[in-house]
Amino acid sequence: MTDQYAVIGNPVEHSLSPGIHAQFARATGQDIAYGRILAPRDGFRAAVAAFRAAAGKGLNVTLPFKHEAWRLAAVRSGFALGAGAVNTLAFEGERIVGHNTDGVGLVRDLTHNLRIVVRGKRVLLMGAGGASYGVMEPLLREQPATMVVANRTLEKAIELVGHFEQLQSRAQQGIAARAYAGLSGSEFDIVINATSAGLEGAMPALPEGVFAAGALAYDMVYARRTPFLEFARARGARVADGIGMLVEQAAESFFLWRGVRPETEPVIRLLRQN
Ligand code: NAP
């Protein structure tokens, strides 16, 4: 019988995950079906239970359910444990196992696809939502010089930095929370936009002068020209959108479910053509 997987979220119709997993399955010869589940905002657990009852094997979890998925998982693997957010659920018999592959996906896109060395670099992470929680630990493992987290609602950035305080020493000069206005006079080598501002055609209130010479500007939002990437390009930064991260996090989920690692480069190339 074909094993069933899906992405669950609200909204979910825009998700590219079904197409990505269909290509992975074709390329690796895995017999899976991968669909979309639109769950009511107050109906995540019921939708997961219905999917499991129909012999579903695993789910990718997207907005706004990543924290709820973390709470639902009886077992949380490596990065999911510290992140407090889960984007991949695996149903292993009676057990629900939660993983977070967002950070692995981002770091793999940065280091493997874009050939960026994070170690020793000054990193600015914008946003303090689920995506930022997911990428903090894998980014800190790369040992940047500094990691500054900026957010429109400063309290949330402070809370996030507090959450990862025990990992503080992984960044050579520590981690810190700032308001956007507080970034004036600081330069960064890698500026990551983990806010959803680009979806509304907006960008965080970045001051001038944050991009060091040769800086990379990375927007997790994909498949559109975001104001942040336009802003960065106009200031001489190298730019990248979140397509690579999307495909890499999907590949990691596929690997966790199927034990087979699909090639990502052909899928990234195809998505960029569309
Ligand atoms: P979230 O939990 O809803 O958090 C949204 C964040 O964006 C918050 O920090 C919020 O700030 C900030 N924000 C929203 N509008 C803003 C604006 N106009 N100006 C400044 N800040 C703004 O969302 P999330 O789960 O972290 O996801 C964030 C984005 O990353 C989404 O667009 C998602 O699609 C993308 N993402 C991409 C991938 C990928 O594979 N490429 C993976 C994960 C996520 P406040 O706290 O002040 O409200």
Side-chain angles (χ1 to χ4, degrees):
M1 204 173 92
T2 302
D3 288 340
Q4 304 290 325
Y5 297 87
V7 56
I8 184 167
N10 186 332
V12 79
E13 58 283 359
H14 66 285
S15 175
L16 299 177
S17 293
I20 294 171
H21 282 278
Q23 288 178 59
F24 288 164
R26 217 172 295 128
T28 57
Q30 293 284 309
D31 182 19
I32 70 161
Y34 189 110
R36 277 188 185 86
I37 299 173
L38 174 66
R41 290 196 170 238
D42 60 355
F44 174 71
R45 280 175 185 255
V48 172
F51 183 73
R52 284 184 79 199
K57 292 275 188 197
L59 288 169
N60 281 133
V61 181
T62 187
L63 266 153
F65 299 126
K66 288 184 185 180
H67 293 297
E68 209 173 337
W70 188 85
R71 289 193 292 273
L72 179 67
V75 181
R76 296 145 190 152
S77 75
F79 292 133
L81 191 63
V86 151
N87 77 336
T88 304
L89 290 171
F91 306 125
E92 299 175 0
E94 288 304 301
R95 284 196 328 172
I96 301 182
V97 183
H99 307 276
N100 193 315
T101 66
D102 279 339
V104 173
L106 171 66
V107 168
R108 200 166 159 78
D109 194 33
L110 289 174
T111 59
H112 185 79
N113 300 335
L114 300 169
R115 311 236 173 251
I116 296 284
V117 176
V118 179
R119 190 186 168 94
K121 300 285 171 56
R122 296 160 292 179
V123 178
L124 170 62
L125 180 65
M126 302 191 289
S132 288
Y133 275 84
V135 301
M136 273 297 278
E137 187 173 350
L139 273 176
L140 285 169
R141 283 214 178 188
E142 296 296 306
Q143 297 184 295
T146 48
M147 173 87 107
V148 173
V149 180
N151 196 45
R152 180 175 61 180
T153 312
L154 176 60
E155 297 72 40
K156 288 197 202 163
I158 293 170
E159 201 178 312
L160 184 147
V161 165
H163 183 88
F164 290 98
E165 208 137 44
Q166 76 282 10
L167 299 177
Q168 172 91 257
S169 58
R170 289 192 187 271
Q172 294 154 6
Q173 297 154 38
I175 57 181
R178 296 266 183 281
Y180 290 113
L183 298 172
S184 283
S186 306
E187 279 193 347
F188 298 92
D189 306 298
I190 303 173
V191 181
I192 300 167
N193 187 7
T195 78
S196 50
L199 295 177
E200 311 152 4
M203 68 170 272
L206 262 185
E208 291 293 340
V210 295
F211 299 106
L216 173 77
Y218 191 102
D219 202 325
M220 288 193 193
V221 166
Y222 46 81
R224 63 184 80 204
R225 292 166 80 92
T226 63
F228 165 63
L229 290 187
E230 294 300 315
F231 177 88
R233 189 180 282 124
R235 283 152 187 81
R238 179 182 171 195
V239 300
D241 72 7
I243 285 275
M245 174 179 174
L246 178 76
V247 176
E248 296 295 347
Q249 63 79 27
E252 186 67 17
S253 297
F254 192 91
F255 175 69
L256 290 165
W257 289 327
R258 310 299 301 179
V260 180
R261 191 171 288 284
E263 266 193 64
T264 51
E265 196 271 330
V267 181
I268 294 173
R269 200 170 353 106
L270 199 71
L271 286 176
R272 290 211 187 285
Q273 280 164 11
N274 295 333

